[in-house]
Amino acid sequence: MRVLITGGAGFIGSHYARQLLQGAYPAFADAEVVVLDKLTYAGNQENLRPVAENPRLRFVRGDICDAELVAELMTGVDVVVHFAAESHVDRSILGASDFVRTNVVGTDTLLQAALAAGVGKFVHVSTDEVYGSIETGSWPEEHALEPNSPYSAAKAGSDLMSRAYFRTHELPVCVTRCSNNYGPYQFPEKLLPLFITNLLDGHRVPLYGDGGNVRDWLHVDDHCRGIQLVAESGRPGEVYNIGGGTELTNRRLTERLLEAMGQDFSMVRPVDDRKGHDRRYSVDHAKIAAELGYRPRVGFDEGLAETIRWYRENRSWREPLKQVQK
Ligand code: NAD
């Protein structure tokens, strides 16, 4: 079996690749793995160091928009797990063209090549942000897509291209939509690693607006196990929400983090709110639970403590990446 992992040098893609190659997914135990990653600022080959010597891994530095390269790599591939994306909302507010290019055009390039190569399963990794913002309750998979940021709009575009390749060409595509991930190896521009590394270095943390924005925090390992269930047994053409983490306001998340790191609220620096900041995300993950037996395993306190420990112990990983926001 051959698996093509795009974006496998990023936060979530590298977790998936490490887990797969270290035997966490028995159905893929013997799989040959090709990681295709452009190594943008967010991609880091260090993230694959624990499996770098594994003879079943081939790393290719390249762009998912490069149709010739993608077609070549797709030959003989059974399963595509597509993580590659521009992923940071704040950057998409400053300029959206890279987001449209990679997230929409890149996904289309992969879908086209997968169709031509007769790939058996294509898992498109998407986000709960495509649904927009919800005051109360949770989104089921059939909810309308109402993305608000350029990032989520570009992801919604890629979700719709995935749907179209299934409806038009019967390419066996599944889409997953997950809530906010946290864990080791996350680039320190995102909220939790930014806050953890700032606090480790004695700097204050910037809290947007009134801190009342609500997110569901799921450990990256639970997300990747959900993706694997979909890769193995998801029904072609279906969307699966992945969630069930811990729902917190940003303010409460910050307080939990400060408590875990033995610090207090004086380390918080309020900053102007993000433009168009979605108030609350919440996915209903009953479908993947009922159909595929998914349930999250990592408790938030345990996952947060392990994540803080990882950043504390891996200064040499984080220091080159960190642009401290004092
Ligand atoms: P990330 O930014 O850490 O990693 C993205 C990876 O994609 C990087 O290694 C980067 O080099 C690579 N990449 C970017 N453009 C590329 C291109 N044109 N060609 C090849 N490679 C390219 O992102 P992440 O947090 O690991 O997210 C992975 C996926 O999961 C994304 O599709 C994201 O939308 C989705 N997702 C993320 C979260 C989250 O909380 N981080 C939640 C739900 C869904």
Side-chain angles (χ1 to χ4, degrees):
M1 169 188 273
R2 181 170 298 175
V3 180
L4 174 65
I5 302 175
T6 72
F11 164 47
I12 306 172
S14 72
H15 187 90
Y16 179 79
R18 291 191 306 274
Q19 290 298 100
L20 194 165
L21 288 163
Q22 290 170 342
Y25 309 136
F28 285 16
D30 299 323
E32 300 285 325
V33 172
V34 179
V35 166
L36 171 60
D37 197 296
K38 188 177 173 183
L39 297 181
T40 65
Y41 77 95
N44 185 352
Q45 256 187 292
E46 283 297 305
N47 298 357
L48 292 170
R49 185 189 284 273
V51 291
E53 303 303 320
N54 190 314
R56 292 189 289 117
L57 172 66
R58 178 180 168 209
F59 178 81
V60 178
R61 182 173 192 176
D63 191 330
I64 58 167
C65 299
D66 179 343
E68 208 174 308
L69 174 66
V70 165
E72 183 196 319
L73 296 179
M74 204 62 82
T75 311
V77 165
D78 302 290
V79 178
V80 177
V81 187
H82 172 35
F83 295 93
E86 288 294 339
S87 68
H88 192 40
V89 175
D90 289 343
R91 286 179 188 258
S92 79
I93 294 168
L94 297 174
S97 53
D98 283 349
F99 288 75
V100 175
R101 183 179 174 280
T102 288
N103 300 1
V104 184
V105 178
T107 300
D108 175 57
T109 307
L110 288 164
L111 290 164
Q112 251 186 67
L115 181 65
V119 159
K121 178 65 82 66
F122 189 115
V123 182
H124 170 61
V125 178
S126 190
T127 166
D128 59 358
E129 302 192 27
V130 297
Y131 295 119
S133 187
I134 188 167
E135 286 282 316
T136 54
S138 302
W139 295 295
E141 285 82 356
E142 57 275 11
H143 193 277
L145 302 189
E146 295 171 335
N148 294 317
S149 74
Y151 161 67
S152 54
K155 289 296 290 188
S158 61
D159 286 24
L160 294 178
M161 289 309 294
S162 300
R163 173 188 157 90
Y165 271 77
F166 172 74
R167 298 294 282 241
T168 306
H169 302 295
E170 296 178 12
L171 181 69
V173 185
C174 292
V175 176
T176 61
R177 295 188 182 134
C178 189
S179 55
N180 275 36
N181 284 211
Y182 70 97
Y185 295 95
Q186 187 170 23
F187 192 85
E189 64 184 352
K190 304 276 170 59
L191 193 154
L192 261 177
L194 173 69
F195 281 23
I196 292 171
T197 54
N198 270 17
L199 293 170
L200 286 173
D201 294 339
H203 301 297
R204 289 191 298 159
V205 300
L207 184 63
Y208 275 139
D210 65 0
N213 304 72
V214 177
R215 301 291 183 263
D216 171 60
W217 293 92
L218 186 72
H219 194 274
V220 62
D221 193 59
D222 284 326
H223 182 191
C224 288
R225 280 190 312 99
I227 290 169
Q228 182 60 16
L229 289 171
V230 172
E232 289 176 28
S233 314
R235 286 182 294 131
E238 294 295 315
V239 176
Y240 294 92
N241 288 339
I242 303 177
T246 299
E247 194 173 306
L248 295 168
T249 62
N250 285 347
R251 188 183 168 91
R252 190 62 200 124
L253 174 74
T254 306
E255 288 166 353
R256 296 274 288 263
L257 179 63
L258 289 165
E259 280 160 28
M261 295 185 71
Q263 309 213 27
D264 62 37
F265 216 75
S266 65
M267 291 305 285
V268 174
R269 176 172 62 93
V271 294
D272 288 346
D273 208 356
R274 169 190 275 167
K275 276 187 177 177
H277 204 173
D278 286 331
R279 196 66 180 167
R280 178 172 175 266
Y281 301 141
S282 181
V283 284
D284 178 347
H285 67 279
K287 178 175 169 180
I288 190 171
E291 271 189 31
L292 307 180
Y294 163 84
R295 71 177 173 78
R297 287 184 186 156
V298 184
F300 184 72
D301 287 333
E302 168 206 347
L304 184 63
E306 175 243 343
T307 303
I308 295 168
R309 188 165 51 245
W310 189 88
Y311 283 98
R312 183 174 280 128
E313 289 172 359
N314 288 278
R315 182 174 286 276
S316 62
W317 178 89
R318 65 183 165 88
E319 262 182 355
L321 310 178
K322 185 81 205 268
Q323 293 159 13
V324 178
Q325 300 182 6
K326 297 192 172 100

